[in-house]
Amino acid sequence: MRVLVTGGMGYIGSHTCVQMIEAGMTPIILDNLYNSKSSVLDRIEALTNVRPAFYQGDIRDRAFLDAVFKENDVEAVIHFAGLKAVGESVEKPLEYYDNNVHGSLVLVEAMRAAGVNSLIFSSSATVYGDPASVPITEDFPTSATNPYGRSKLMVEECLTDIQHAYPEMSITLLRYFNPVGSHQSGTMGEDPQGIPNNLMPFISQVAVGRRESLAVFGNDYPTVDGTGVRDYIHVVDLADGHLAALNYKGKDAGLHIYNLGTGNGSSVLEMVDAFSKASGVEVKYHIADRRPGDIAECWADPAKAKAELHWEAKHTVEDMTADTWRWQSTNPSGYPDA
Ligand code: NAD
Ligand code: UDP
């Protein structure tokens, strides 16, 4: 199966390409390298002995997309490309709506023109806003509290209308919970530029000595230990969720929505503790104010994905922290510049 992977050089996309190649699929990567490095391709090749086709360019460039579709007999698209930092989206809403919303629409136009009807879209648990209860099922109401979340919600809504108008299309919205971890080899992982916004990369940079101390954003939430609780999911499990979505729903016309999470919540302090154990390094932290917009707890009910995609997360928090440490300790500065 030949699949165009937009954003395939990024964190989740690169791990998904490895899993696809190992399952006998052919990923064709399209990425503008805004948030990734071309050396990712060498790492994919080293792991799989396959160097996927790579097109450097932007999903907002229709002529470029048309050329890629013309050169390749694409059967389906997995659409990871986009911007993802919540705080930055408040500062730069235009860039977020342009990349995430406009970019997705140009991509779907090009798919229509090329006769490609199967799309998997990277959505997020952020579309559930502040959920009334946990665990969260796919029929919970959706809302957004920042431009990033709103851009994901807008794309979900656009794709719903598009699928309604073109019923021959298969569109799958995958709502990710908190992707963490690295390929078990330690050769691929998350490589954020600048100061990490997310918990796991921050913890691992403290452990490796790149940062002084983790600021724990609030310890007065109504949770097990007062710190925020999230559903951390190993990136390789998440990658496999895309393969399952392609296999079970990719040819099935309709709109399909799934949570990709483990169904378990872990607090910030539990993650710090697990990381300290996995790395043998005591992770320094201090309690800081709550981060505006954060919610107390969020975890998935992953039953629908299990029943319909025959997929469930297999990796434990211990795997997530051990694999992150293997990547971080052997690649302390992330991927090399090509
Ligand atoms: P990432 O930044 O590592 O990967 C995204 C890739 O898309 C990058 O390689 C970047 O260079 C590329 N890109 C960005 N804009 C582009 C454009 N206009 N044209 C072509 N390429 C472009 O991010 P990730 O963590 O791998 O996330 C992938 C997707 O999953 C994103 O859509 C993100 O919003 C979504 N998501 C991520 C998380 C998370 O915590 N990582 C959670 C929920 C949803
Ligand atoms: N968090 C924290 N310090 C950090 C980054 C995150 O205490 O430097 C907390 C955050 O408040 C939340 C959890 O870790 O409770 C996960 O945050 P992340 O940004 O990784 O994911 P999201 O907020 O999108 O769920």
Side-chain angles (χ1 to χ4, degrees):
M1 190 179 201
R2 287 169 305 282
V3 182
L4 182 69
V5 183
T6 76
M9 300 291 269
Y11 172 48
I12 304 169
S14 58
H15 287 82
T16 303
C17 287
V18 168
Q19 298 306 103
M20 289 171 75
I21 293 168
E22 283 177 354
M25 298 179 178
T26 305
I28 298 148
I29 300 178
L30 186 159
D31 198 302
N32 66 1
L33 299 183
Y34 175 82
N35 196 37
S36 49
K37 292 187 180 152
S38 59
S39 57
V40 169
L41 215 53
D42 303 331
R43 300 291 174 96
I44 296 176
E45 185 180 9
L47 277 174
T48 62
N49 292 319
V50 172
R51 192 169 184 87
F54 168 52
Y55 293 85
Q56 184 174 349
D58 200 295
I59 53 165
R60 293 163 294 181
D61 181 346
R62 175 65 196 275
F64 168 68
L65 291 183
D66 287 347
V68 173
F69 278 114
K70 200 167 171 207
E71 258 181 54
N72 297 278
D73 189 11
V74 172
E75 292 162 82
V77 176
I78 306 182
H79 176 31
F80 293 105
L83 306 181
K84 63 167 185 175
V86 172
E88 186 187 59
S89 77
V90 177
E91 311 294 322
K92 300 177 178 171
L94 271 172
E95 289 184 23
Y96 274 70
Y97 293 124
D98 188 38
N99 255 282
N100 295 3
V101 183
H102 172 223
S104 298
L105 296 181
V106 177
L107 175 66
V108 178
E109 279 172 1
M111 286 176 63
R112 299 282 312 152
V116 179
N117 280 324
S118 182
L119 173 67
I120 293 183
F121 173 62
S122 294
S123 190
S124 166
T126 192
V127 302
Y128 295 116
D130 191 353
S133 60
V134 277
I136 300 169
T137 51
E138 288 82 353
D139 54 3
F140 269 38
T142 53
S143 65
T145 53
N146 57 69
Y148 168 69
R150 213 165 347 266
S151 75
K152 289 286 166 191
L153 201 48
M154 282 179 186
V155 175
E156 284 205 358
E157 288 171 348
C158 292
L159 291 177
T160 303
D161 290 342
I162 289 165
Q163 200 288 322
H164 183 75
Y166 308 115
E168 67 277 17
M169 290 193 83
S170 165
I171 298 186
T172 304
L173 313 177
L174 296 181
R175 295 176 176 159
Y176 311 157
F177 281 67
N178 287 63
V180 298
S182 305
H183 192 270
Q184 210 197 340
S185 63
T187 61
M188 291 180 41
E190 189 168 11
D191 183 18
Q193 307 303 305
I195 301 172
N197 298 299
N198 296 112
L199 180 66
M200 272 291 265
F202 204 106
I203 291 180
S204 61
Q205 291 194 5
V206 172
V208 83
R210 274 175 73 179
R211 317 234 165 242
E212 191 60 32
S213 164
L214 169 77
V216 175
F217 297 142
N219 66 347
D220 56 354
Y221 286 106
T223 62
V224 56
D225 57 18
T227 64
V229 169
R230 298 290 183 275
D231 186 340
Y232 297 95
I233 174 168
H234 196 292
V235 66
V236 173
D237 280 331
L238 189 69
D240 284 339
H242 294 74
L243 274 66
L246 271 178
N247 286 333
Y248 288 99
K249 291 290 164 187
K251 292 198 171 75
D252 190 355
L255 182 79
H256 317 291
I257 306 180
Y258 298 98
N259 286 338
L260 295 185
T262 67
N264 302 310
S266 303
S267 75
V268 175
L269 294 181
E270 285 168 347
M271 294 306 282
V272 168
D273 189 49
F275 204 93
S276 298
K277 287 200 176 91
S279 63
V281 177
E282 203 185 320
V283 175
K284 282 193 209 148
Y285 69 88
H286 59 280
I287 305 299
D289 288 344
R290 288 184 178 194
R291 183 171 64 178
D294 268 357
I295 57 176
E297 45 188 17
C298 170
W299 68 86
D301 180 339
K304 189 178 176 210
K306 184 175 179 186
E308 297 181 13
L309 303 181
H310 308 279
W311 168 92
E312 64 184 320
K314 297 189 181 78
H315 292 90
T316 62
V317 165
E318 287 68 36
D319 299 329
M320 301 175 206
T321 49
D323 292 341
T324 303
W325 179 241
R326 199 170 299 115
W327 155 251
Q328 184 72 65
S329 55
T330 52
N331 299 268
S333 308
Y335 288 106
D337 290 319

